[in-house]
Structures are given as structure tokens and as C-alpha cells.
Amino acid sequence: MSLLMLLGVSLVSALALAFVGDRKRAAEINILGSAATFAASVFLAVRVYQHGPIVAGNNFFFVDALNVYLAVVTAFVSMTTAVFSRRYMRHERENGRVGRAGMRFYHAMFQLFIFAMLLALLTNNVGVLWISMELATLSTVLLVSLYRTPSAVEAAWKYFILCGVGIAQALFGTVLLYFAAERVFGEGSAGLLWTNLSQSVGSLEPTVLTLAFVFFMVGYGTKVGLVPLHNWLPDAHSEGPTPISAVLSGLLLNVALYALLRCKVLVDGATGSHRAGHIMMAFGLVSILVSAFSLLRQKDIKRMFAYSSIEHMGIATFAFGLGGPVATFGGLLHMLVHSLTKSSIFFTAGHASQMHDTQEMSGIRGLIRGNPLAGWGLMLGCIAIAGMPPFGVFTSEFLILTALIKNAPLLTPVFLLGIGVAFAALFGKVMPMAFGPAPENQRRLKLSHFPVIAHMALVLVIGLYLPGFLSAWFHMAVELLK
Amino acid sequence: MTTNLAAEINGVLAALILLSSFGLLVQRRMTGLLHIFAWQGFFLSLSTAVVGYTAGLHHLYISAVLTLTLKVFALPYILYVLIHKLKIHREVEEVVNIPTTMLIGIALVIFSYHLTAPIRELSTLVTRSTLAVALATVLLGLLMMITRKKAVTQIIGFLALENGLFFAATSATYGMPLVVELGVALDILIAAFIFGIFFFQIRTTFDSLDLKQLEKLKEEDF
């Protein structure tokens, strides 16, 4: 019941918002819809926590500790983003960057995007997982080009083509997976159900699954933004409206990584080796290094944090590839804290660029003087994302590092080099923006600080002390990923 | 129809699909591209129906009809209307270095046969030998997207790539479950509307559909 509500609310809100359009209450409906989705997700999570995994809807849905935790994160961040976007988009509307049709489109597609991600997380069918990942891309493509500037259109086209082609490879992987499964389960949907596949993973043909994983890696890896498949990501994140950058970076990448994880479990189970894990480690490590050095040369604030997202997705992918309970625990925690921190940073980056009418970092100065909350939000967000204690990213990176030193000590310097360079790059760029005197042309705006404060507080709490239920939850998820 | 005959018919259809992929790779005229694309969809749909008949699987008829309406009528029609509205139906695209492109294409086909060899040995279906052709179609679609610089031709390359995926599904497994096929078809239909909107957005922002102008977003050099 709560499952239907979780998916239904966002779909109904999308339809309602398409109908309401650019009227006065659209933003409030958007917030209300997301809040209801969040409430439903918490309700569902409590049930899973108490009674274990749920299979529902004639085997169509499957909810376990792994996906319900991501569903809660998705619903929570989309709720706070809806709160943030109320003032932000109103401001963009007043500035004339978005028109009436744009606002209608924005609100409806925002909810459809949330629906697509939740469906991807909760479905039991690997084919439907692919369909909803594609739907998530399609619903955000035209949001990236919302401002209709030449660079926005270019970014959206790139996003559409690269992700479309990428995810087509994942469909080929799904065909191969079904080919292997059909020999065990016979004709029909049964061969694509995760619950069936994971139980009899040993009887799936290893050669076919290894080949399938290559296609999954390229396909879903494109959506995760792993180097060298990452080209669409910095463009889409920097040219789209800031709330969309926040959900793309904080949520979509997580969902894509989730899809990849599910495939990895199957392939490693079938081959009885650690080959899929090794491929993921390689992609992760290359992503960390390339994005860390790319961070050094950025001039656009949102583009810089987009590269930082590639780095953190690389860290999480690396951790899951490394395997073992500690690294997997660290990876799951990292997905959570990255999602919270990065969306909060995008909120403050959006504030900063609206105050200065530019996304160029050289034009953003004296943020703390101009608006202390926005300035400190950016500064603390940067401290958190760079992996400094006492924030949650430190905890997760520390766990991953511990596992790394134990299992693959030779890779430790490479990993640390990436993190170190990223740290230096981020600080070098953010300090001048936060401190110093405010420039003359800085504007005073009414900003919504609640989402930033909420996210940063959560990341701080997770960094200082991991609540018992959360760690128990992660332990359940770690069991599933073994 | 005996199984042998079906396998042979299917082989011929696979060859025709592969041929049309090469045709797409070198065709310069917009309307010519649309015709080849529609023919490829037709062969695909016919092959699905033949497989459905020999294997006695009725859900394959549904996907054959789906392919026929979507790939042979709906999508070419949408593209036809679009290129007429954008007044580019007479345009001739410059395709550089056709011989090299063809050679790369042939190399991709050989690569596909090599890659799918272990699967061919495992499979017992009549269609198993066509899986390599399906993968080749996917890779040739990809090659077309890389070599072409016009928005419309890139989209046709993308759709040809999807054709390859559909063909892979019928040749490796007698088709995916119906819920998946319907979902994929829906996604393609949504994508069709989106690229339609895109053509107009690109046209109004850049005054042409040439993607050479979409090269602004790059990392700056120091």
C-alpha cells in the first residue's frame, strides 16, 4: 500500500502540475507532493526494517534494505530540492530566464523524474529497471535546455545522445542476461526478476554474464558519470537550472550506481570470481584521478562541483569494486553523504550565482560578507565534500581507505593522490569566493536556507555518530551485496 | 515451414538488415536515409514474425506489429514531417572518407562475430547465428553517430542502433518479455518527441542543424 502511494504520489503530482502550469501555487504543490512521497518512503522503510524484504504486485516490486534506503534518500533530497526551487525558480522567472511554458514543464518533469528514479529503485524486473533509467534521462533532457541559451541546448543534446547511446548498451547487457536466465527459468518475465536471478545465480552461464557485464558497465557507467564516459556530466550539470543539477548529481548518479551494483552481484555470483569487481575498481580509480586533476582547471562554479561528483562516484564505485564488508559499508555510506552534501553545495552555488549574476568563479567574491548563511553554507559544504572531519564524508572515505590498505595496499597512494589533489583544488577555488570584501554589484536576495541547513546538519550528525538504526540498516544492505 | 527453411529465411533477413546498416552509413540524402531506415525496420519486423511463427510464440507477433507500426510507419513519418518543416529534405550531407568508414564497418562486423562466438555455441535456437549481426548493427549505428555531423542523421543512427537491440532480443532469446518490449517502445516514442523538440531548439538557437556549431562546451586550455 505504501509502495503504491510512494510511486503514485509523484506520478499524480506530475500530472497535476502539468495541468496547474505557471499558476501561483505550483511550487507549493510540488513541495507537498514531494513531502508526501517522502512520508510514504519512510513508512515503507520502517516496514522493511521491522519485517524484512517485501515482494509485492505479482512479483513486480521488490523492496529490500538496499533499495529502500536509496528510495528514502531520493525522496528526502527531492523534497528539500522542491523547497529550494520554490524561491530559486521564482527568481529565475522574474529575471526572465524562464517563461510560462518553461515553468509548467519544469514542475511536471521534476515530479516525473522522481517517479522514474523511484520506479528504477523499487522494481523487481531488470528490464523495467532499464526502462525507468531511460525515462529518468528523457524526463530531464529538456530541463537541461530550459534556459534555451546556445550552451544549454548543446549540453542537453550531448546529454541526450551520450546517455541514450550509453544506456542502449545496458539494454544489450539486459538481453544477454535474459539469454542466460532463459535457460534456467524458461520463457517469460520470470527470467528477468531480480528475486529469481539472485537466488539461482550459480546456475547462470558465466561466459555470457561476463560479456553482459561489459555492456552493463559501459551502459550504466555512462549514467554514473565514470571516466571516460563522463563527457555529458559537467555540461548538463553546469547549464541546467540549479535544482536540476542538485537532483542529477545527488540522486540520478546514485540510482545508476545502484543498477550497476545489482548487475555486479549477479555477475560475480555467476562467475565465482571477482572480475566484475576489478573492472569497477579500475573505472573508479581512473575517475578519481582524472576528475581531481580536472577540478584544478575549472572556472565555472557548477562545472567544478560536477567534476567533484565524478570524483565521488568514482570513490563509491571503487569501494564497491573492492568488495568486502568494510568497503561496501563505506561505499553505501558514501553514496548517502555525497548525495546530501553535494545537493546542499549546489543549492549554495545557485544562491551565489544568483547573487552575482554569473557562474564564473572569478565574479563571485565576498559571499560571507554579503550573506553569512550562504557563504558559510558553501564553505562548510566544501569542507565536508573534501573529506574533512567532523563531517560524514570523512567517515565513509576513512572506512574505504582502511579496507583499501588492508586488501590492496599498492593502490593506496594513487587513491590518496586523487583525494589530495581534489581537496587542494576545491579549497583554492572556494576560499576566495567565501571570504574577502563583497563586490559592489552583489545583490541582496531572499534565499531559502532551510534545505542547506537540514542537509549539512544531517551530514554532521552522521559524521559524529552513526545512529544505530542506520548502521544496522547498512549491515543488512552489506549482507545483500556479498 | 520447417526449422531449416525458417533459419534460412532468417539468415537472409539478417543479411538485409546488415546491408541496410551499411547503406545508412554512406547514404548522403536525407530522404534516402529515411527510406533505408524504414526498410530496415520492415526486415526487422518480418524476421520477428518468422521467428514467432516457427517457434509458435504468439507474443512475438505483437512485437512484430509493434516494430512495424513504430519503426516502419511512425518514426519515419515523424522524421519526414520534421525535415519538411525544417526545410532540410533536399539537403545533401558531406560524408568524409566513405571507403575508410566502410572498412571500419567491416572490421566491426568481424569483431561482432568474434565476440558472440561463445554465445553461439551455447544457444540452441534457430536464430542463434544472427546474434552477431545484431551486435554489428548496434556498432554500425554507433559508427554512424560518430561520423555524421547533422542532428537528423545522428538520430537516425541512434534509431538504427535501437533496431540492432531489438534484433538482438529476438535472435538471442526469442524476444524479451512483453512488459519490457512495450516499455522500450514507449521510451523510443518519448525520445522521438524529444528529438523533434530538439531539432527546433537547435535550429532557433544556432540557425542550422549542423552539429559542428555545438562544440563550445569544452575544457579550456591554459
Side-chain angles (χ1 to χ4, degrees):
Chain A
M1 189 56 217
S2 50
L3 195 73
L4 276 184
M5 177 143 161
L6 180 53
L7 286 164
V9 168
S10 46
L11 197 59
V12 170
S13 321
L15 288 174
L17 283 164
F19 186 68
V20 170
D22 189 29
R23 297 216 178 77
K24 222 179 156 196
R25 293 280 159 238
E28 281 75 9
I29 297 174
N30 194 20
I31 297 174
L32 208 67
S34 319
T37 309
F38 176 59
S41 76
V42 170
F43 195 72
L44 186 66
V46 171
R47 245 183 64 190
V48 173
Y49 186 65
Q50 284 170 345
H51 305 292
I54 305 169
V55 178
N58 198 12
N59 271 330
F60 193 80
F61 296 107
F62 173 64
V63 195
D64 64 6
L66 174 62
N67 58 13
V68 81
Y69 122 80
L70 284 168
V72 173
V73 176
T74 304
F76 177 74
V77 175
S78 65
M79 177 179 75
T80 50
T81 309
V83 174
F84 164 76
S85 83
R86 180 170 153 264
R87 276 210 178 122
Y88 185 89
M89 290 313 283
R90 190 194 290 161
H91 190 79
E92 298 288 271
R93 175 91 171 87
E94 282 160 8
N95 266 2
R97 292 186 78 184
V98 201
R100 290 179 64 89
M103 287 303 282
R104 178 196 298 267
F105 193 75
Y106 169 82
H107 281 127
M109 284 300 149
F110 184 85
Q111 288 292 337
L112 189 67
F113 175 56
I114 306 303
F115 167 76
M117 283 193 296
L118 288 172
L119 183 62
L121 288 171
L122 299 174
T123 183
N124 190 13
N125 188 316
V126 186
V128 177
L129 169 66
W130 183 87
I131 294 164
S132 38
M133 285 300 295
E134 172 87 352
L135 186 64
T137 315
L138 293 176
S139 57
T140 42
V141 160
L142 291 175
L143 287 180
V144 171
S145 70
L146 195 67
Y147 293 149
R148 298 288 171 83
T149 57
S151 41
V153 172
E154 182 185 339
W157 177 258
K158 245 182 175 176
Y159 175 43
F160 179 53
I161 289 295
L162 286 175
C163 279
V165 170
I167 210 148
Q169 310 303 314
L171 183 58
F172 198 83
T174 312
V175 169
L176 289 176
L177 177 64
Y178 181 57
F179 167 72
E182 202 191 20
R183 299 157 62 82
V184 182
F185 303 102
E187 191 72 22
S189 278
L192 278 176
L193 293 185
W194 164 256
T195 34
N196 288 348
L197 289 168
S198 59
Q199 268 163 18
S200 48
V201 72
S203 46
L204 298 173
E205 187 59 50
T207 42
V208 181
L209 255 70
T210 314
L211 187 61
F213 187 72
V214 176
F215 285 98
F216 279 129
M217 189 72 221
V218 173
Y220 292 133
T222 312
K223 292 232 75 169
V224 183
L226 296 173
V227 177
L229 311 161
H230 67 290
N231 268 324
W232 63 272
L233 194 146
D235 298 341
H237 283 50
S238 61
E239 299 305 326
T242 305
I244 297 307
S245 318
V247 283
L248 280 182
S249 178
L251 304 177
L252 182 68
L253 306 184
N254 269 358
V255 177
L257 187 55
Y258 161 82
L260 192 58
L261 268 179
R262 288 283 199 209
C263 302
K264 184 226 169 205
V265 173
L266 289 182
V267 175
D268 270 352
T271 53
S273 72
H274 200 58
R275 202 177 294 156
H278 288 305
I279 298 176
M280 283 176 81
M281 273 168 82
F283 268 95
L285 207 56
V286 172
S287 304
I288 296 172
L289 279 181
V290 171
S291 57
F293 283 99
S294 305
L295 275 172
L296 283 169
R297 13 194 298 188
Q298 298 310 313
K299 298 194 171 80
D300 179 308
I301 181 166
K302 277 161 75 181
R303 205 175 167 83
M304 176 173 81
F305 285 115
Y307 271 104
S308 159
S309 293
I310 300 177
E311 184 216 344
H312 285 280
M313 279 298 131
I315 294 175
T317 310
F318 182 76
F320 291 124
L322 198 60
V326 179
T328 310
F329 191 102
L332 289 170
L333 185 62
H334 198 77
M335 278 165 89
L336 169 66
V337 287
H338 170 256
S339 159
L340 290 172
T341 319
K342 190 49 68 58
S343 38
S344 148
I345 287 179
F346 272 114
F347 298 156
T348 51
H351 288 155
S353 46
Q354 273 192 340
M355 281 164 67
H356 296 85
D357 276 324
T358 178
Q359 281 180 209
E360 291 281 314
M361 285 190 277
S362 54
I364 302 172
R365 288 289 178 263
L367 212 50
I368 291 182
R369 288 275 168 77
N371 189 326
L373 271 171
W376 280 113
L378 184 64
M379 196 61 223
L380 288 177
C382 176
I383 291 175
I385 206 75
M388 296 268 280
F391 293 100
V393 183
F394 171 76
T395 320
S396 60
E397 285 184 1
F398 188 76
L399 280 172
I400 297 167
L401 192 62
T402 323
L404 177 62
I405 293 173
K406 187 167 174 291
N407 297 323
L410 286 177
L411 291 177
T412 316
V414 188
F415 184 78
L416 283 177
L417 176 73
I419 291 184
V421 171
F423 175 85
L426 281 174
F427 263 78
K429 309 259 181 190
V430 170
M431 293 278 263
M433 285 196 281
F435 296 105
E440 304 246 314
N441 63 352
Q442 195 178 62
R443 285 201 277 178
R444 304 206 151 269
L445 297 172
K446 275 184 89 173
L447 305 173
S448 40
H449 291 294
F450 161 73
V452 180
I453 296 172
H455 282 207
M456 291 313 291
L458 278 174
V459 179
L460 185 66
V461 168
I462 294 169
L464 291 173
Y465 130 93
L466 200 59
F469 75 92
L470 201 59
S471 65
W473 206 335
F474 282 151
H475 279 299
M476 273 154 56
V478 167
E479 278 301 305
L480 293 169
L481 288 172
K482 244 193 339 204
Chain B
M1 209 179 336
T2 58
T3 327
N4 259 340
L5 182 65
E8 268 172 36
I9 292 175
N10 215 44
V12 171
L13 286 170
L16 286 171
I17 288 174
L18 192 61
L19 190 69
S20 52
S21 280
F22 275 102
L24 289 174
L25 210 52
V26 292
Q27 174 60 260
R28 280 183 265 190
R29 285 172 201 286
M30 289 291 167
T31 36
L33 276 174
L34 283 188
H35 283 141
I36 300 178
F37 174 70
W39 275 110
Q40 190 179 49
F42 177 69
F43 298 140
L44 183 64
S45 145
L46 207 59
S47 142
T48 314
V50 169
V51 173
Y53 181 78
T54 35
L57 293 167
H58 295 291
H59 78 92
L60 278 180
Y61 290 141
I62 300 175
S63 56
V65 172
L66 206 64
T67 317
L68 194 71
T69 35
L70 199 64
K71 297 279 173 66
V72 186
F73 297 113
L75 286 175
Y77 179 73
I78 291 172
L79 282 166
Y80 182 81
V81 170
L82 279 173
I83 62 173
H84 272 265
K85 278 206 171 149
L86 292 162
K87 298 200 171 51
I88 49 169
H89 53 288
R90 284 183 203 287
E91 238 170 74
V92 177
E93 192 183 358
E94 223 178 289
V95 186
V96 283
N97 228 338
I98 289 178
T100 321
T101 317
M102 290 293 255
L103 280 177
I104 298 174
I106 291 167
L108 286 177
V109 176
I110 297 169
F111 175 69
S112 311
Y113 268 93
H114 176 71
L115 203 63
T116 49
I119 296 174
R120 261 202 312 283
E121 280 160 24
L122 287 170
S123 177
T124 50
L125 308 187
V126 285
T127 48
R128 64 183 178 275
S129 56
T130 51
L131 185 64
V133 175
L135 183 59
T137 312
V138 172
L139 295 177
L140 288 172
L142 209 58
L143 182 64
M144 182 176 169
M145 293 181 74
I146 295 166
T147 52
R148 296 304 186 93
K149 286 280 173 265
K150 292 251 196 285
V152 180
T153 37
Q154 282 210 342
I155 287 298
I156 294 175
F158 178 65
L159 293 171
L161 192 156
E162 298 262 45
N163 273 351
L165 292 172
F166 256 79
F167 194 50
T170 40
S171 56
T173 63
Y174 286 159
M176 301 283 271
L178 199 59
V179 56
V180 178
E181 293 227 353
L182 286 175
V184 174
L186 181 71
D187 273 346
I188 295 175
L189 207 59
I190 298 173
F193 282 105
I194 289 183
F195 65 66
I197 297 170
F198 249 125
F199 290 161
F200 286 100
Q201 282 190 5
I202 295 177
R203 170 70 150 239
T204 44
T205 2
F206 294 97
D207 282 329
S208 106
L209 277 170
D210 208 324
L211 296 176
K212 277 178 199 144
Q213 301 178 43
L214 269 72
E215 283 180 359
K216 208 174 132 270
L217 289 173
K218 271 184 184 162
E219 291 311 324
E220 292 163 47
D221 295 316
F222 277 104

